[in-house]
Amino acid sequence: MTDRTASRISATGEVADLSLREDVRARASRLGLLGWVRLEPDGSLCVHAEGEGAAIAELSLELRSIPGVDSVSDRQVRVEGHEQFAIRGIPAGVFVVQEHQATAHHFDVRLEVDGVMRSWAVPKGPSMDPTVKRFAVQVEDHSLAHNDFEGRTGKGGVIIWDRGQYEQGGRVPWPEALERGHAVFVLHGEKLHGGFALQRTGGGEKPQWLLIKRKDEYAARGSDIVAERPESAQSGLTLAELIDG
């Protein structure tokens, strides 16, 4: 894409209706723009738009003409490298990442979907580096009650490595996105933040996926969050300390 740039556009007024975010996504897609739109806690609408400068200017101009919008301002920001235009800020539930030492050491990444925790075993754990693709194996669903478990398990153990809320992302709603094999979501944890994607690469009894950090303001190239933050989000203990203790 030529002349690729990025802007944050802020709109105030009567902008809380979800239909407006759908309208913005449709307009952005028509203009060939990438990025996202979300409703901010202060009631304003925030649009991150990437693409040709003329197309971004056209989107900003169109927002000014929408009934209920009182004011529109924009500022240039760095390009994050989005692959689509998504609606953010739609709560999807809770997530938890449990570090587990059993027969083999791994991390269990769990997302609340329709009242259960969809689960993936990720041997090397999540990464905040968007150039790193983590292998993940889908395993059986767990109950929400299991989210609070931390303790010894025979000769092994489990710690709650991270937890928080998450939002659905992308153009396809949940859980349809998971069934299609490509799901985009935004994590609000104590360690993990920002956009992530799960991409299915193989089927079978235990489907294989890739867990990938998306390029955004939270991405950290070259980082190793698992090594940098080994402690439990609940007790502060590392897995080794819990097992040895």
Side-chain angles (χ1 to χ4, degrees), residues 97-100 105-109 120-126 161 226:
V97 180
Q98 290 168 306
E99 186 180 4
H100 189 186
H105 174 262
H106 64 278
F107 291 75
D108 290 306
V109 176
W120 291 262
V122 183
K124 294 184 177 181
W161 184 79
V226 168

Side-chain angles (χ1 to χ4, degrees), residues 122-145:
V122 183
K124 294 184 177 181
S127 175
M128 293 295 288
D129 185 340
T131 67
V132 173
K133 298 179 179 180
R134 293 298 201 209
F135 175 70
V137 178
Q138 190 170 355
V139 295
E140 69 275 7
D141 298 342
H142 281 62
S143 70
L144 271 70

Side-chain angles (χ1 to χ4, degrees), residues 25 35 84-88 90 167-174 177 182-186 214:
R25 179 168 63 179
Q84 60 184 349
F85 197 91
I87 296 177
R88 288 189 177 178
I90 301 177
E167 304 166 8
Q168 68 181 44
R171 298 179 180 178
V172 181
W174 291 63
H182 181 73
V184 179
F185 50 99
V186 181
R214 296 181 68 82

